[in-house]
Amino acid sequence: MITALAVLVIALMLLSLGLHIFGLPGNWVLLILAVAWKFFQPEAMTWNFVMILGLIAVVGEVLEFAAQYMGGKKYGASGRGNFGAFVGAIIGAMLGAPFLFGLGALPGALFGSFGGCLVLEMSHGRKFDEAKTCAWGAFWGKAFGMTVKVSLGVWMFVMSVPRVWP
């Protein structure tokens, strides 16, 4: 019985990583599953381990935001342009989610980051070519940040599996 539940939880943890494709919080779902397993099997992991998983999830969010910010900054984006990239990524993910069976959230976030930065840089008085350069920086920063966040989620999964498996 415990083995079947462990297989189910591990499968759900693995599936939670796929939530990133849809712009959903996969690392946080994985953390919730680890906490649920901790309550079900208290000896399986310590609260310190759970806190480490939580810290990794927070670091993933911070690094995703920081990479997008630094990508835009590296290519000359102003604070206003970076704010546009951040808001554009959120709006783009929401608008893209209904397309391609939910897979549109990923390109929606990337191009939303690009578009948000582009629009606010141009409203700040920049020429189109300058604003476009800033927007590409935000785009590639967002792509790198998402990659880092997913990688940290994989790390959380790999750390959790031995604690869940009986």
Side-chain angles (χ1 to χ4, degrees), residues 15-104:
L15 289 174
S16 74
L17 294 175
L19 293 175
H20 289 292
I21 296 170
F22 304 104
L24 297 172
N27 292 357
W28 296 103
V29 172
L30 195 147
L31 177 63
I32 290 168
L33 289 167
V35 168
W37 189 258
K38 168 66 176 154
F39 280 119
F40 182 70
Q41 291 288 315
E43 70 282 350
M45 61 185 79
T46 65
W47 283 111
N48 286 341
F49 178 77
V50 173
M51 287 190 298
I52 289 169
L53 291 180
L55 181 63
I56 293 170
V58 168
V59 167
E61 298 296 333
V62 169
L63 288 178
E64 180 184 23
F65 174 75
Q68 177 181 334
Y69 177 82
M70 291 170 64
K73 220 34 158 170
K74 180 178 179 182
Y75 288 92
S78 65
R80 177 185 254 183
N82 271 317
F83 177 75
F86 177 71
V87 172
I90 294 170
I91 293 171
M94 289 190 302
L95 292 176
F99 299 101
L100 300 171
F101 305 104
L103 296 176

Side-chain angles (χ1 to χ4, degrees), residues 94-118:
M94 289 190 302
L95 292 176
F99 299 101
L100 300 171
F101 305 104
L103 296 176
L106 182 64
L110 292 170
F111 288 109
S113 175
F114 178 89
C117 184
L118 181 72

